[in-house]
Amino acid sequence: MLRITGGKVFDPANGIDGQVKDICISDGRIVSEFDGGRTIDATGMIVFPGGVDIHTHVAGAALNFARGLTPENQRAAAPFLHSPERRAGIGGPTPTTFATGYLYAGMGYTTVMEAAVPVLSAKHTHEELRDTPIVDKACLLLMANNEIVLDLLESGEIERAKQVVGWLIWAAKTYGIKAVNPGGVAAWKWGEDAKQLFEPVHGYNTLTPANIISGLAGIVDDLGLPHPVHLHCNNLGAPGNVDTTIETMKVLEGRRAHMAHLQFHAYGGDDWHTMRSEAPRLAAYFNSQPNLTADAGAILFGDAVTITADGPWQHLLYQLTGRKWGNIDVENETGCGIVPYTYKGSNLVNAVQWAVGLELLLLIDDPWRLHLTTDHPNGACFWRYPEIIHLLMNADYRKECIKKLPPKALKRITLMDLDREYSLYEIAIITSAGPARAMGMPRKGHLGVGADADITIYNQNPDGVMMFRYPRYVIKGGTVVVEEGDILHRDEGHEFVVRPVFDPKIEDFLRPLFQQVYTMSFDNYPVEAERVHGMQVSELPGTPRQPQSNP
Amino acid sequence: MITLTLKDQPNVPLEAENLCPDVTASLTNDQVRALPVYLGKRKCRADDFFAIEGEASDELTIRGDAARVKWIGRGMTRGRITIEGNAGMHLGAHMKGGAIEVTGNASDWAGAEMAGGFIRIHGNAGGQIGAAYRGSMSGMKDGTILIGGSAGLELGMRMKRGIIAVKGLVRDFAGLQMKGGTIFLLGGAEIRTGAWMVRGTIVTLSPIKLLPTFSSACTYNPTFLRLYAKHLATLGISLPCEPQRGTYQRYTGDTSVPGKGEILQWQPHGS
C-alpha cells in the first residue's frame, strides 16, 4: 500500500518516456488506483522498473569455489556488519550470499538470473539462492555437455532428448537451459576442446557442436520455454572467434536464442598480438537477425574472477596469467574452471575487450535485444554496472577514457568514432524492460497494472555513476528495501521455475543409466520442491494442472 | 611516550590493532585507556588488560609477555613501538613505516605484507615472517626485518622487495615463491629453501641443502653484496664479502617454475 507521486517515470514496456505519473501499489503489485497508505514524494526524481540481470553468477558450487579460491579479495572487500536490519557478509568480486542480495538491491536491481547450474549441484545453488535476500531469482540449467543428452542427440533420438531435457529442467527446478561451449566441455574431459562448429566432438563419432546447438534450440522451442536457449558460443575469448559466433547464429536458422556475453565472442585477428574488435561486423549481422537477443558481457578495468563451465578456456587463461586455477569436473554433466584475473587498461588485449563491450552496446540498434551485463564476476562485478551506464550516456567521458588506452589499441577498435549516447529511456530498456522480456517474465521490467511492484527511484544526477549506484528508494514486491541510503532486509525474494511437459515414463530410461554412470542415486538426484525458497512455478501451455509426481 | 604494562595474560588471544602509533598519536590518556580491543568476539577496553601511562605520543612501549596479543602495530606508518617481552601474531602486519623492536620472541606472520618500515626481533620468530597472507599475490613489498634468533616456516613467502636477515636457523621453505627482495640466512636453513622462487636473492653463510631444481652458475664475489654489507653493518650485522676471505657460489632457480632467482652460498677460503 504505497503511492509514488511526482516522479518522472521511465517505463519503456508501456511506452512511457519520462512523463510525470503516479504509481500505486497494493499487495506487491502495481494497481491503477489506491487510496490510503504511505506516499513517497518522488518529485524531481526518476522512476525506473527494478533492474533485471539476465546473466550473472551469484550462487552454486562454482561460485563458492571461487570465493574459497580468492581469500585475498574477501580480505580487501567491504564488510557488511551484522545489524538488526541485515545479516553479515562480504562484498568484493564474489560477494557472499547475503551481501549479493544487498548489493543488487542497493543498486536497484530486483531480479537476477543465475546463468549456470548443473543438475548435480542444483541443490547447493538453491540453498545459496535462499540466502540471497530481496532479489527474485531464476536459474539456467547447463545442458550442452550433458552426456546423456549428447548421446541422444548423436543417435538422432530428438524426441527422447526433449523428454530428458524437460525432466532435467524440472528435476533441477530451473527456468531454462544454458549451452556453454557446446561439446567443448565434454571434449575437455579428453583434454581437448571443440573449436570447429562442424567437426565431431571428441569422444563422439558424428555429433558436432552445430548439431548440439540446433538440437537444443529446437528442444527449447518444442518445450515452449519462456526463455530461449541461452548460448555461450564456442571459442570464447579467442582472437578471431567472431566467425564462430556468426556461424553459430546461422546454425540457428531463425530459431530463438539468447547470445550470452557477446563481448567475449566478437574478436578478430589471428593471435593475441593481432587481436582486434569485430564488433561492427557482429553488430551488423546481429541487427539483421530478429530471432536473437544478447547480453553485453562488457568488461571494466580492475580485478575480476573468471568463472565458467568453459573448462578448456579457463586452462588457457591460467596458462596466460600464471595465476591460480581451479578446475571442477561435474561427472557427466559439465565442468568448470576458475581463474582470478585483472583487466588492465595498459594491456592491449584488455583495452580491446573494454572497447568491444561498449561498441556492441552502441552499434546494436535495438536496445530491446541487447542487455547490460558484465557476465559477473567475469568481466567486472555486477555492482559496477553504473560505471558502464555512465560510459553509455556520456560520449565526452567515453572519449576521455579512450585517450588513456595504449595508442596501439586505437588501431584495433572503432569506439572513438561512435557518438551515440543512451537516453534514460534506453537505459531503462537495457537494464530492465529488455531483459525481463527476453526472460519471458511478464510481471517484471515494467510498471503497468498487474506488474510486480519492483521499482527503483533515483535522484537525477548528471554523474551516471552516482545516480545509478545510489538509488533514493528501491521497492521490491511493494516493500521499501532501500531508504535513506540504507539497505533493509525486509524481503526474501522468490525463485522462478518452469515445469515443462514431459512424459513421466522417461524415468524408466534414465534410472538404469543413472545406476550405471552416476555417483548419486537416481532418487536423490532431483531437487525437492520444498528446497526451493518461495518457488513460483510458471505453468507452460499443456502442463497438467495437477502435477502427478514430483520427480 | 605511552607505556602499556600487561596486567594479566589474556586467556585467549587478544586482537589489539589499535596499539598502533597512528592511533595513539593524538589521544589523551583516557582515550588510550578506552581504545577497543577484542578478546575473542568480546569488545574490551585496552585498560582491561594494560596499565597505561602517558598520552598523545607515537612512541609506545609495551611491557610484559604479550605473546597472546595480536596485530600490534598493524598498518602503522610512523613512530616507534618497543616491546619489552614477547609479541603475538601479526606484529606489524601491513605496516608502511616506523619501527618496531621486540626484546623477546615474536610469533607467526610478523611483518606480513608490510610495505615499509623496520622490525627488529631480538629473540626467535615464528613462521611466515614478511609473508603473503593466504591467497595474496605478494608478501612484503619493502622494509626491513631483522631476527636475532631463529625463524619458522615460509620465511619471506612471496616477498617482492625489502630485506629479511636472520641470525639463527631458519626452518623449511625460506623464500617460498619469492618474487624479489633479499633474504640473508646468517645461520643457515633447513630444506626446500627458495622453492618456486621466481626472482630475488637468498644469501646463506652456511651450506644448505638445495633443491635439485637449482643449478650451479658460477663462483664470484658480487659487487652489490658490498653495498648490502655496508648497510647491514650499520644495523649490527656483518656480512663477509671480501675476496681474500672467500667467494659466493651462485645457484639459479627455481627451474621448476621456471624462475630466475638466485641463492648465493658463502664459501670461505680453505674450507
Side-chain angles (χ1 to χ4, degrees):
Chain A
M1 273 154 270
L2 194 63
R3 175 189 287 270
I4 300 160
T5 63
K8 279 196 245 175
V9 177
F10 290 85
D11 180 12
N14 295 302
I16 296 169
D17 183 8
Q19 284 97 326
V20 175
K21 185 173 176 288
D22 283 10
I23 293 172
C24 298
I25 298 163
S26 175
D27 289 334
R29 301 280 190 94
I30 292 174
V31 294
S32 55
E33 194 51 55
F34 196 85
D35 282 331
R38 181 180 169 191
T39 300
I40 289 179
D41 181 7
T43 307
M45 298 182 197
I46 304 291
V47 181
F48 265 38
V52 177
D53 196 338
I54 198 168
H55 186 109
T56 183
H57 302 278
V58 290
L63 192 85
N64 219 26
F65 191 161
R67 290 180 184 128
L69 193 70
T70 55
E72 71 279 19
N73 291 343
Q74 311 265 327
R75 272 197 298 278
F80 282 83
L81 299 179
H82 181 83
S83 76
E85 294 287 0
R86 281 197 304 270
R87 297 278 296 265
I90 305 173
T94 50
T96 56
T97 50
F98 288 100
T100 299
Y102 302 147
L103 286 165
Y104 261 117
M107 192 176 65
Y109 269 63
T110 49
T111 308
V112 301
M113 180 104 90
E114 159 56 51
V117 180
V119 191
L120 268 168
S121 63
K123 278 182 184 153
H124 179 165
T125 309
H126 288 297
E127 298 286 357
E128 283 199 19
L129 289 178
R130 181 189 185 130
D131 281 349
T132 306
I134 305 178
V135 290
D136 287 339
K137 286 94 37 175
C139 299
L140 295 176
L141 190 62
L142 288 165
M143 200 48 72
N145 294 283
N146 183 307
E147 298 192 6
I148 294 177
V149 174
L150 295 196
D151 288 348
L152 292 172
L153 289 176
E154 175 162 70
S155 59
E157 297 180 71
I158 304 295
E159 178 53 31
R160 183 176 267 172
K162 185 182 117 186
Q163 301 297 331
V164 170
V165 171
W167 186 89
L168 288 170
I169 288 174
W170 178 242
K173 301 292 180 287
T174 51
Y175 188 78
I177 66 170
K178 163 102 173 281
V180 172
N181 188 355
V185 186
W188 173 234
K189 298 180 185 187
W190 304 82
E192 303 289 333
D193 194 357
K195 291 179 184 302
Q196 303 294 332
L197 277 183
F198 302 103
E199 282 179 14
V201 174
H202 199 91
Y204 290 86
N205 295 320
T206 56
L207 186 74
T208 65
N211 299 148
I212 301 173
I213 294 162
S214 60
L216 288 176
I219 286 172
V220 169
D221 279 348
D222 289 350
L223 288 172
L225 298 182
H227 182 58
V229 61
H230 197 100
L231 197 52
H232 159 142
C233 296
N234 302 69
N235 286 330
L236 173 137
N241 63 7
V242 69
D243 294 326
T244 310
T245 313
I246 291 176
E247 282 302 315
T248 304
M249 292 175 177
K250 288 180 180 162
V251 163
L252 288 161
E253 292 174 331
R255 274 189 289 260
R256 298 184 303 157
H258 177 86
M259 315 298 290
H261 37 70
L262 206 52
Q263 179 276 128
F264 288 107
H265 303 277
Y267 309 143
D270 303 316
D271 54 33
W272 298 111
H273 303 289
T274 57
M275 180 178 143
R276 63 176 190 274
S277 164
E278 284 288 0
R281 201 174 125 207
L282 186 59
Y285 189 78
F286 182 86
N287 282 335
S288 70
Q289 303 290 309
N291 55 316
L292 301 177
T293 57
D295 63 83
I299 71 141
L300 288 168
F301 300 126
D303 286 331
V305 182
T306 66
I307 305 176
T308 168
D310 198 339
W313 163 253
Q314 291 297 74
H315 182 246
L316 180 73
L317 194 62
Y318 158 66
Q319 288 176 320
L320 285 172
T321 59
R323 279 170 78 170
K324 290 179 256 192
W325 174 48
N327 185 57
I328 310 177
D329 174 21
V330 190
E331 294 191 26
N332 306 288
E333 295 180 358
T334 179
C336 175
I338 295 153
V339 178
Y341 191 81
T342 306
Y343 295 99
K344 291 186 185 136
S346 56
N347 177 303
L348 185 61
V349 170
N350 295 161
V352 170
Q353 291 180 304
W354 177 82
V356 169
L358 295 171
E359 285 172 4
L360 287 169
L361 280 157
L362 296 166
L363 287 168
I364 290 175
D365 302 328
D366 183 0
W368 285 96
R369 293 204 288 124
L370 183 66
H371 319 308
L372 176 63
T373 67
T374 55
D375 190 15
H376 164 82
N378 287 285
C381 310
F382 66 80
W383 41 265
R384 296 182 69 190
Y385 289 172
E387 296 173 41
I388 301 176
I389 294 175
H390 190 52
L391 283 162
L392 294 175
M393 293 186 75
N394 192 328
D396 291 336
Y397 172 65
R398 205 160 61 218
K399 283 180 180 155
E400 286 303 308
C401 294
I402 295 171
K403 280 185 193 156
K404 293 179 199 152
L405 299 182
K408 245 177 143 177
L410 301 184
K411 294 179 198 141
R412 317 284 178 87
I413 61 176
T414 55
L415 188 62
M416 51 282 188
D417 303 329
L418 305 177
D419 293 321
R420 178 176 168 193
E421 288 185 344
Y422 270 64
S423 63
L424 283 172
Y425 187 73
E426 288 174 310
I427 295 294
I429 297 173
I430 63 166
T431 59
S432 176
R437 184 178 284 182
M439 280 157 74
M441 293 185 174
R443 286 180 4 224
K444 295 291 178 194
H446 73 105
L447 300 174
V449 170
D452 286 343
D454 300 347
I455 303 168
T456 308
I457 305 174
Y458 301 99
N459 284 318
Q460 191 156 14
N461 188 336
D463 180 348
V465 179
M466 290 301 286
M467 172 170 167
F468 287 96
R469 184 166 286 164
Y470 304 108
R472 184 71 177 78
Y473 298 98
V474 178
I475 295 154
K476 165 69 197 1
T479 306
V480 179
V481 290
V482 173
E483 191 169 11
E484 308 290 343
D486 207 8
I487 302 161
L488 309 170
H489 184 149
R490 287 181 182 156
D491 189 290
E492 298 295 343
H494 298 287
E495 266 202 69
F496 294 105
V497 171
V498 297
R499 183 184 168 84
V501 187
F502 56 84
D503 180 359
K505 291 203 187 74
I506 194 65
E507 290 189 14
D508 301 337
F509 166 75
L510 284 169
R511 186 179 292 272
L513 265 180
F514 252 78
Q515 311 299 38
Q516 205 183 330
V517 297
Y518 267 77
T519 57
M520 191 189 245
S521 119
F522 185 66
D523 294 317
N524 290 336
Y525 187 61
V527 180
E528 303 89 338
E530 307 81 72
R531 245 176 217 273
V532 184
H533 188 67
M535 181 165 78
Q536 296 203 341
V537 180
S538 303
E539 302 286 342
L540 296 182
T543 306
R545 284 281 151 222
Q546 292 295 320
Q548 276 137 22
S549 68
N550 177 22
Chain B
M1 187 165 79
I2 299 172
T3 310
L4 301 99
T5 310
L6 194 65
K7 294 193 279 199
D8 297 307
Q9 272 273 352
N11 51 355
V12 295
L14 188 71
E15 307 210 351
E17 65 259 40
N18 278 324
L19 302 186
C20 172
D22 297 69
V23 176
T24 60
S26 58
L27 298 186
T28 63
N29 183 273
D30 282 345
Q31 286 170 322
V32 177
R33 286 167 190 267
L35 280 174
V37 291
Y38 286 85
L39 184 71
K41 68 174 183 178
R42 267 203 301 135
K43 192 175 179 178
C44 305
R45 287 165 56 97
D47 64 1
D48 292 345
F49 299 93
F50 296 94
I52 300 172
E53 289 164 34
E55 61 183 12
S57 170
D58 63 1
E59 292 199 13
L60 301 180
T61 301
I62 297 170
R63 297 204 171 109
D65 181 8
R68 287 207 188 122
V69 183
K70 291 185 185 176
W71 297 109
I72 297 171
R74 179 188 180 157
M76 65 190 274
T77 61
R78 59 180 173 142
R80 182 170 190 85
I81 298 178
T82 310
I83 298 169
E84 297 175 358
N86 301 325
M89 288 165 76
H90 309 285
L91 173 77
H94 299 288
M95 73 187 278
K96 295 177 188 69
I100 297 177
E101 186 159 5
V102 184
T103 61
N105 303 328
S107 189
D108 304 342
W109 301 104
E113 298 192 9
M114 70 192 280
F118 181 83
I119 298 178
R120 187 193 282 271
I121 298 159
H122 290 279
N124 301 329
Q128 291 86 14
I129 304 302
Y133 281 113
R134 300 300 181 205
S136 292
M137 298 277 282
S138 55
M140 68 187 282
K141 290 166 201 75
D142 211 344
T144 306
I145 301 177
L146 304 180
I147 297 166
S150 64
L153 299 170
E154 297 182 5
L155 176 90
M157 179 253 287
R158 285 186 218 148
M159 71 185 283
K160 215 168 186 178
R161 252 188 180 191
I163 297 173
I164 299 178
V166 188
K167 285 194 178 160
L169 185 67
V170 173
R171 291 190 58 199
D172 306 357
F173 286 112
L176 175 66
Q177 221 174 349
M178 194 172 170
K179 295 164 180 215
T182 313
I183 295 178
F184 294 97
L185 304 172
L186 309 170
E190 293 187 1
I191 54 174
R192 301 190 184 120
T193 304
W196 280 351
M197 75 189 287
V198 181
R199 276 176 185 274
T201 304
I202 298 175
V203 181
T204 173
L205 298 193
S206 51
I208 55 172
K209 193 168 185 224
L210 285 169
L211 283 167
T213 44
F214 279 84
S215 43
S216 174
C218 62
T219 305
Y220 73 144
N221 286 77
T223 316
F224 76 89
L225 273 189
R226 280 186 234 158
L227 290 173
Y228 275 97
K230 261 187 191 169
H231 174 64
L232 291 173
T234 65
L235 303 171
I237 290 170
S238 94
L239 185 71
C241 55
E242 304 81 2
Q244 57 273 31
R245 286 176 62 194
T247 56
Y248 282 93
Q249 174 76 38
R250 182 177 192 270
Y251 299 90
T252 58
D254 180 345
T255 46
S256 70
V257 186
K260 291 190 266 186
E262 60 180 359
I263 294 180
L264 303 175
Q265 188 168 301
W266 174 245
Q267 293 176 322
H269 288 316
S271 65

PDB file of all heavy atoms in Angstrom, chain B residues 82-95:
ATOM      1  N   THR B  82      58.162  -0.293  21.127  1.00  0.00           N
ATOM      2  CA  THR B  82      59.164  -1.140  21.776  1.00  0.00           C
ATOM      3  C   THR B  82      58.420  -2.146  22.629  1.00  0.00           C
ATOM      4  O   THR B  82      57.605  -1.747  23.473  1.00  0.00           O
ATOM      5  CB  THR B  82      60.102  -0.298  22.656  1.00  0.00           C
ATOM      6  OG1 THR B  82      60.567   0.806  21.874  1.00  0.00           O
ATOM      7  CG2 THR B  82      61.286  -1.120  23.128  1.00  0.00           C
ATOM      8  N   ILE B  83      58.681  -3.403  22.406  1.00  0.00           N
ATOM      9  CA  ILE B  83      58.013  -4.426  23.201  1.00  0.00           C
ATOM     10  C   ILE B  83      59.065  -5.076  24.090  1.00  0.00           C
ATOM     11  O   ILE B  83      59.981  -5.740  23.583  1.00  0.00           O
ATOM     12  CB  ILE B  83      57.321  -5.452  22.298  1.00  0.00           C
ATOM     13  CG1 ILE B  83      56.246  -4.738  21.460  1.00  0.00           C
ATOM     14  CG2 ILE B  83      56.692  -6.573  23.133  1.00  0.00           C
ATOM     15  CD1 ILE B  83      55.676  -5.561  20.358  1.00  0.00           C
ATOM     16  N   GLU B  84      58.951  -4.844  25.390  1.00  0.00           N
ATOM     17  CA  GLU B  84      59.914  -5.433  26.321  1.00  0.00           C
ATOM     18  C   GLU B  84      59.333  -6.746  26.794  1.00  0.00           C
ATOM     19  O   GLU B  84      58.684  -6.834  27.829  1.00  0.00           O
ATOM     20  CB  GLU B  84      60.173  -4.451  27.475  1.00  0.00           C
ATOM     21  CG  GLU B  84      60.802  -3.151  26.961  1.00  0.00           C
ATOM     22  CD  GLU B  84      60.972  -2.113  28.052  1.00  0.00           C
ATOM     23  OE1 GLU B  84      60.573  -2.362  29.199  1.00  0.00           O
ATOM     24  OE2 GLU B  84      61.503  -1.031  27.731  1.00  0.00           O
ATOM     25  N   GLY B  85      59.532  -7.747  26.002  1.00  0.00           N
ATOM     26  CA  GLY B  85      58.920  -9.050  26.246  1.00  0.00           C
ATOM     27  C   GLY B  85      58.640  -9.702  24.910  1.00  0.00           C
ATOM     28  O   GLY B  85      59.330  -9.426  23.926  1.00  0.00           O
ATOM     29  N   ASN B  86      57.602 -10.551  24.863  1.00  0.00           N
ATOM     30  CA  ASN B  86      57.270 -11.242  23.621  1.00  0.00           C
ATOM     31  C   ASN B  86      56.107 -10.548  22.929  1.00  0.00           C
ATOM     32  O   ASN B  86      55.357  -9.811  23.556  1.00  0.00           O
ATOM     33  CB  ASN B  86      56.880 -12.687  23.918  1.00  0.00           C
ATOM     34  CG  ASN B  86      58.006 -13.428  24.618  1.00  0.00           C
ATOM     35  OD1 ASN B  86      59.179 -13.191  24.336  1.00  0.00           O
ATOM     36  ND2 ASN B  86      57.647 -14.302  25.547  1.00  0.00           N
ATOM     37  N   ALA B  87      55.969 -10.832  21.635  1.00  0.00           N
ATOM     38  CA  ALA B  87      54.858 -10.263  20.867  1.00  0.00           C
ATOM     39  C   ALA B  87      54.054 -11.388  20.224  1.00  0.00           C
ATOM     40  O   ALA B  87      54.608 -12.430  19.859  1.00  0.00           O
ATOM     41  CB  ALA B  87      55.380  -9.311  19.793  1.00  0.00           C
ATOM     42  N   GLY B  88      52.760 -11.157  20.042  1.00  0.00           N
ATOM     43  CA  GLY B  88      51.881 -12.165  19.438  1.00  0.00           C
ATOM     44  C   GLY B  88      51.900 -12.112  17.924  1.00  0.00           C
ATOM     45  O   GLY B  88      52.714 -11.419  17.308  1.00  0.00           O
ATOM     46  N   MET B  89      50.975 -12.843  17.337  1.00  0.00           N
ATOM     47  CA  MET B  89      50.957 -12.989  15.874  1.00  0.00           C
ATOM     48  C   MET B  89      50.648 -11.666  15.171  1.00  0.00           C
ATOM     49  O   MET B  89      50.071 -10.763  15.748  1.00  0.00           O
ATOM     50  CB  MET B  89      49.892 -14.024  15.480  1.00  0.00           C
ATOM     51  CG  MET B  89      50.286 -15.444  15.830  1.00  0.00           C
ATOM     52  SD  MET B  89      48.886 -16.566  15.769  1.00  0.00           S
ATOM     53  CE  MET B  89      48.698 -16.779  14.027  1.00  0.00           C
ATOM     54  N   HIS B  90      51.027 -11.589  13.916  1.00  0.00           N
ATOM     55  CA  HIS B  90      50.708 -10.467  13.013  1.00  0.00           C
ATOM     56  C   HIS B  90      51.310  -9.146  13.480  1.00  0.00           C
ATOM     57  O   HIS B  90      50.776  -8.082  13.163  1.00  0.00           O
ATOM     58  CB  HIS B  90      49.187 -10.300  12.856  1.00  0.00           C
ATOM     59  CG  HIS B  90      48.462 -11.558  12.501  1.00  0.00           C
ATOM     60  ND1 HIS B  90      48.497 -12.096  11.243  1.00  0.00           N
ATOM     61  CD2 HIS B  90      47.707 -12.397  13.245  1.00  0.00           C
ATOM     62  CE1 HIS B  90      47.780 -13.215  11.231  1.00  0.00           C
ATOM     63  NE2 HIS B  90      47.297 -13.422  12.437  1.00  0.00           N
ATOM     64  N   LEU B  91      52.423  -9.198  14.201  1.00  0.00           N
ATOM     65  CA  LEU B  91      53.089  -7.972  14.642  1.00  0.00           C
ATOM     66  C   LEU B  91      53.509  -7.143  13.420  1.00  0.00           C
ATOM     67  O   LEU B  91      54.202  -7.636  12.532  1.00  0.00           O
ATOM     68  CB  LEU B  91      54.330  -8.346  15.459  1.00  0.00           C
ATOM     69  CG  LEU B  91      55.239  -7.202  15.859  1.00  0.00           C
ATOM     70  CD1 LEU B  91      54.628  -6.440  17.026  1.00  0.00           C
ATOM     71  CD2 LEU B  91      56.619  -7.708  16.239  1.00  0.00           C
ATOM     72  N   GLY B  92      53.063  -5.897  13.365  1.00  0.00           N
ATOM     73  CA  GLY B  92      53.477  -5.009  12.272  1.00  0.00           C
ATOM     74  C   GLY B  92      53.010  -5.443  10.898  1.00  0.00           C
ATOM     75  O   GLY B  92      53.577  -5.017   9.885  1.00  0.00           O
ATOM     76  N   ALA B  93      51.959  -6.259  10.852  1.00  0.00           N
ATOM     77  CA  ALA B  93      51.448  -6.664   9.539  1.00  0.00           C
ATOM     78  C   ALA B  93      50.942  -5.438   8.785  1.00  0.00           C
ATOM     79  O   ALA B  93      50.392  -4.530   9.392  1.00  0.00           O
ATOM     80  CB  ALA B  93      50.314  -7.666   9.720  1.00  0.00           C
ATOM     81  N   HIS B  94      51.166  -5.386   7.512  1.00  0.00           N
ATOM     82  CA  HIS B  94      50.729  -4.282   6.642  1.00  0.00           C
ATOM     83  C   HIS B  94      51.383  -2.948   7.009  1.00  0.00           C
ATOM     84  O   HIS B  94      50.920  -1.905   6.561  1.00  0.00           O
ATOM     85  CB  HIS B  94      49.203  -4.090   6.687  1.00  0.00           C
ATOM     86  CG  HIS B  94      48.420  -5.277   6.228  1.00  0.00           C
ATOM     87  ND1 HIS B  94      48.347  -5.657   4.910  1.00  0.00           N
ATOM     88  CD2 HIS B  94      47.684  -6.191   6.908  1.00  0.00           C
ATOM     89  CE1 HIS B  94      47.589  -6.731   4.803  1.00  0.00           C
ATOM     90  NE2 HIS B  94      47.184  -7.084   6.003  1.00  0.00           N
ATOM     91  N   MET B  95      52.431  -2.947   7.840  1.00  0.00           N
ATOM     92  CA  MET B  95      52.999  -1.658   8.237  1.00  0.00           C
ATOM     93  C   MET B  95      53.670  -0.969   7.055  1.00  0.00           C
ATOM     94  O   MET B  95      54.142  -1.613   6.117  1.00  0.00           O
ATOM     95  CB  MET B  95      53.968  -1.792   9.424  1.00  0.00           C
ATOM     96  CG  MET B  95      55.302  -2.404   9.132  1.00  0.00           C
ATOM     97  SD  MET B  95      56.245  -2.674  10.669  1.00  0.00           S
ATOM     98  CE  MET B  95      56.954  -1.047  10.946  1.00  0.00           C
TER      99      MET B  95
END
